[in-house]
Amino acid sequence: MIDLKYIRANPDIIRKAICDKNEKADLDMLLAKDEERRKLQYDFDNLRARQNAVSQTIAQKKRAKEDASEELKEMSEVASQIKILQSDLTEINAAVEELVLTIPNVPQTDVPIGKDESLNEIIRHVGEPPKMDFEPKDHLDIAMQNGLLDLPRGAKISGSGFPIYTGDGAKLERALINFMLEYHLQKHGYTELMVPLAVNRKSMTGTGQLPKLEDDMYHISEDDLFLIPTAEVPVTNIYADEVLSYKDLPKKYVAYTPCFRREAGSYGKDTRGLQRLHQFNKVEMVRFVEPEDSATALEEMLADAEDILMAFGLHYRVVSLCTGDLSFASQKTYDLEVWAAGSGKYLEVSSVSNFGEFQARRANIRYKDAEGKMRHLHTLNGSGLATPRLMIAIMEQYQKADGSIQIPDVLRPFMELRV
RNA sequence: GGAGAGGUGACCGAGCUGGCUUAAGGUGCACGCCUGCUAAGCGUGUGUAGGUCAAAAGCCUACCGAGGGUUCGAAUCCCUCCCUCUCCGCCA
């Protein structure tokens, strides 16, 4: 969340951020409630001060066996006033809190302004589309021909968007996950975590999925738990309500998890095969850094994700999201889009974002800097990578004329483990 | 799910027959002093958040797992919930 003091001091910046991000937060209501809150707080504090002072007097008089009935009479009046103020204060604090949580993060100044993805900025292309002397097939056709997927039966047991990977398809999926994990561990210095796949409401609020995206998530009502839409949620929240030392930073974690997304209300578009799923696998990178380091860390994480695509020898492009396409919590985001040769388009396989202190405030993650000052740290995360579209790209970019697939060399050892 | 014990400041830990605790004491940390022997001793300081203020200082308020309640006054009494530990039950 944004610092309330900052909002109060810079309402225009916030107003512009809400507008640029196509959000619908009621800033004026928030400012009015905040004003009201401060008045109440002031009255409450003064009354409390009075009560504390007189209570001391009462205690002294009682000890000296003196009469304190006059003070007691006054205090019974004060106490009832305090009670009223207290409940008003509780109410208004909750209202302010609720409103603050609807204020989106402020985009960085170098983020292109635009209302939707059509105004995203393509930063660069890397590699070349493979040259083929035959008509490339679509990944679903390739997968069917090679027996890698069974989507109808996935749909039967769960619903559409829940894929079954079969035989070598399952093995390839597992190889991708293992390769990416090991790559980030060995070459990029991350620490691996295995984390819960169901998290509570507090965690979802901490990273910013709630309250906005509740309808997009699978919810276990009996226990009020949510299936994670990304490992970002459990991993970022591991330090919620904690105070770290600057000596502990930066922290770099990588975690593989399945991800679950209801994506309420989105049908039809780009849903063929593995393009858009309710359950998919993803290797996620998360960093906790000092504020001064987050801009650099973002570029590093982008490079970490790109390394995977380059290791696979895939053609892709790097996109900087415009304000309208930025997520609620993000200050700046790069997407990596990989070339799907069969369908002739670029597919998003990674999103790398800097959240500044936005998530750290929400989740209450702080650290003591070298001067001993308590500060909110910065969080970042990036997919490294999501597997379904990566697999699409591998199938489509590495297909041969006969419909078979030539697995990238770096994956071979992961496909051929022997027991 | 059942029974018992417990959750106190960065950490350990006292207080828990309500007011003389602005949460004792210790460890750690910071600064200073002392000392020739790989360290110890002594002294001082040491949280977070909100408010007030142009700002700082100062002052006020809140915070002893969370939320309610009783009371003039709650770390301390009562209720609900969460979590941890031990034992039992159930289960991969």
Side-chain angles (χ1 to χ4, degrees):
Chain A
M1 77 184 95
I2 309 284
D3 184 7
L4 194 49
K5 277 190 226 161
Y6 181 86
I7 296 176
R8 208 184 291 147
N10 305 282
D12 296 341
I13 292 175
I14 302 300
R15 210 181 301 279
K16 182 166 171 8
I18 293 170
C19 175
D20 286 346
K21 277 191 158 183
N22 299 323
E23 292 288 340
K24 286 197 273 297
D26 191 341
L27 179 60
D28 293 320
M29 174 72 93
L30 172 60
L31 292 171
K33 289 272 181 194
D34 176 50
E35 181 79 32
E36 199 182 325
R37 185 193 120 259
R38 271 148 60 220
K39 281 208 180 84
L40 273 173
Q41 184 73 51
Y42 183 78
D43 293 344
F44 175 82
D45 284 356
N46 284 337
L47 223 44
R48 264 292 206 201
R50 175 76 186 148
Q51 184 181 55
N52 287 342
V54 178
S55 284
Q56 288 299 314
T57 311
I58 292 172
Q60 278 165 20
K61 287 201 169 183
K62 291 229 161 166
R63 246 175 278 128
K65 306 249 193 283
E66 291 172 24
D67 176 49
S69 57
E70 201 169 306
E71 284 83 356
L72 284 173
K73 193 163 153 241
E74 186 199 344
M75 282 308 98
S76 116
E77 178 64 25
V78 168
S80 67
Q81 282 181 42
I82 284 178
K83 194 164 279 184
I84 293 166
L85 280 179
Q86 180 140 43
S87 82
D88 290 352
L89 207 49
T90 304
E91 202 176 302
I92 196 139
N93 275 331
V96 169
E97 171 81 355
E98 200 178 310
L99 285 165
V100 172
L101 289 177
T102 66
I103 304 289
N105 203 354
V106 178
Q108 290 178 9
T109 48
D110 61 344
V111 171
I113 292 174
K115 70 174 178 24
D116 59 39
E117 73 268 10
S118 65
L119 291 160
N120 290 345
E121 189 180 304
I122 296 167
I123 307 262
R124 62 176 174 272
H125 288 81
V126 178
E128 297 288 333
K131 294 190 174 56
M132 297 172 189
D133 50 11
F134 55 92
E135 188 64 26
K137 289 189 181 121
D138 160 85
H139 80 277
L140 190 53
D141 293 336
I142 299 168
M144 298 311 285
Q145 184 182 330
N146 292 281
L148 306 180
L149 290 173
D150 187 347
L151 300 186
R153 289 200 176 91
K156 177 172 70 179
I157 59 178
S158 298
S160 72
F162 291 91
I164 297 175
Y165 298 85
T166 53
D168 282 345
K171 196 166 185 175
L172 176 58
E173 179 75 357
R174 193 155 48 79
L176 288 173
I177 293 164
N178 279 329
F179 174 82
M180 294 191 286
L181 280 173
E182 289 301 331
Y183 204 95
H184 292 310
L185 294 178
Q186 294 173 29
K187 305 216 184 227
H188 297 149
Y190 288 81
T191 302
E192 183 176 359
L193 299 175
M194 292 198 91
V195 294
L197 305 182
V199 303
N200 58 31
R201 190 169 284 277
K202 184 167 183 277
S203 299
M204 281 295 183
T205 307
T207 32
Q209 280 73 19
L210 289 179
K212 195 190 163 191
L213 299 177
E214 179 144 11
D215 290 344
D216 287 340
M217 294 187 293
Y218 290 99
H219 182 233
I220 303 163
S221 60
E222 196 166 9
D223 300 298
D224 199 22
L225 291 173
F226 296 86
L227 294 186
I228 59 170
T230 159
E232 160 195 351
V233 179
V235 176
T236 305
N237 276 287
I238 58 177
Y239 293 117
D241 296 317
E242 293 192 30
V243 178
L244 306 180
S245 162
Y246 72 96
K247 292 175 197 155
D248 302 329
L249 302 177
K251 283 188 178 289
K252 299 165 64 172
Y253 292 110
V254 64
Y256 151 69
T257 69
C259 301
F260 302 90
R261 300 190 180 178
R262 285 186 67 228
E263 309 289 27
S266 67
Y267 301 89
K269 188 161 168 272
D270 298 338
T271 52
R272 182 173 161 82
L274 298 179
Q275 286 186 67
R276 195 181 191 86
L277 300 167
H278 287 308
Q279 178 180 331
F280 63 94
N281 294 312
K282 181 159 63 65
V283 170
E284 183 78 3
M285 307 173 281
V286 174
R287 293 200 193 191
F288 301 85
V289 304
E290 294 201 71
E292 293 72 23
D293 299 336
S294 70
T296 309
L298 180 69
E299 302 302 323
E300 283 176 16
M301 289 181 84
L302 176 64
D304 292 343
E306 287 190 66
D307 279 353
I308 301 289
L309 290 175
M310 288 195 264
F312 290 145
L314 293 167
H315 168 58
Y316 66 94
R317 67 184 185 186
V318 183
V319 175
S320 177
L321 298 192
C322 75
T323 54
D325 208 22
L326 273 190
S327 73
F328 178 78
S330 176
Q331 284 184 345
K332 181 173 181 177
T333 297
Y334 293 114
D335 274 4
L336 292 180
E337 299 182 343
V338 71
W339 177 243
S343 15
K345 57 187 175 188
Y346 290 92
L347 300 176
E348 179 191 336
V349 280
S350 177
S351 205
V352 186
S353 303
N354 184 357
F355 300 92
E357 61 172 35
F358 191 82
Q359 293 182 326
R361 270 189 188 277
R362 287 189 162 233
N364 191 26
I365 309 171
R366 294 176 297 177
Y367 82 106
K368 282 223 164 99
D369 68 14
E371 274 88 54
K373 260 187 63 183
M374 185 78 86
R375 301 172 70 187
H376 290 277
L377 47 73
H378 281 195
T379 60
L380 306 97
N381 66 56
S383 343
L385 312 159
T387 60
R389 294 172 191 158
L390 180 59
M391 196 184 274
I392 291 174
I394 288 172
M395 285 188 215
E396 296 190 7
Q397 287 196 37
Y398 279 94
Q399 62 182 297
K400 295 194 282 198
D402 64 359
S404 64
I405 307 158
Q406 185 189 334
I407 299 296
D409 290 344
V410 292
L411 276 178
R412 292 254 161 75
F414 291 85
M415 292 289 284
E416 291 163 6
L417 291 176
R418 293 280 172 266
V419 290

